[in-house]
Amino acid sequence: INLGALRVKAVNGAANYKFEIADLVGGSDKGNFELKANVYRLISYVESPAGDFSDNQESAGSFFRPKWETQLRGRYEKDGFAAQWTWNWQSSTKLFSAANGTFATIEQQNVIDFPAFSVHDATLQYE
């Protein structure tokens, strides 16, 4: 029997804008450009092993549950060629101690803080 329960509160926003470069600079077809953005804000992540929330464990901001995550992507396409760059960013997190349902302390673990980080990806493609 799985009695556990989970309550998540979050907000997610996304935007997408695609245009032909010729529309901006005039002239003939110079390809298409697309920008995409996504922002995710984790407000609350509450777990209850018993399933009735009498034993709540709030872990928003802990490792693998950052409070902020963003992604920005730019893509250029023309005549079967495409170039894309993607940037992912995650806010800093702390190590969570499931034993007592709070953030870990330096007495429990020698590394408890994980800094914010970015990951960049680039892609070239031709069909």
Side-chain angles (χ1 to χ4, degrees):
I1 297 175
N2 185 358
L3 299 176
L6 178 66
R7 287 185 184 152
V8 178
K9 292 180 185 176
V11 177
N12 192 59
N16 186 21
Y17 184 65
K18 187 173 185 175
F19 58 91
E20 291 183 19
I21 296 176
D23 292 343
L24 294 179
V25 296
S28 63
D29 180 25
K30 292 179 175 46
N32 298 315
F33 191 75
E34 181 180 27
L35 281 173
K36 284 190 172 187
N38 189 44
V39 176
Y40 178 77
R41 169 68 164 117
L42 179 61
I43 299 167
S44 177
Y45 193 99
V46 179
E47 298 171 275
S48 171
D52 61 5
F53 293 97
S54 62
D55 55 348
N56 287 359
Q57 293 181 345
E58 171 64 67
S59 60
S62 65
F63 196 60
F64 289 117
R65 291 190 188 97
K67 290 189 176 182
W68 287 98
E69 291 182 85
T70 62
Q71 183 180 73
L72 180 63
R73 186 184 89 172
R75 182 176 178 86
Y76 171 77
E77 295 177 341
K78 181 171 179 11
D79 299 331
F81 172 78
Q84 178 174 294
W85 169 76
T86 305
W87 171 59
N88 292 286
W89 177 82
Q90 174 181 302
S91 64
S92 62
T93 58
K94 293 185 174 288
L95 195 60
F96 186 75
S97 174
N100 61 8
T102 63
F103 289 109
T105 63
I106 198 71
E107 289 82 15
Q108 297 168 314
Q109 181 74 29
N110 60 353
V111 176
I112 59 172
D113 294 311
F114 298 91
F117 67 91
S118 292
V119 176
H120 298 269
D121 296 306
T123 304
L124 294 175
Q125 162 185 336
Y126 185 76
E127 291 184 21

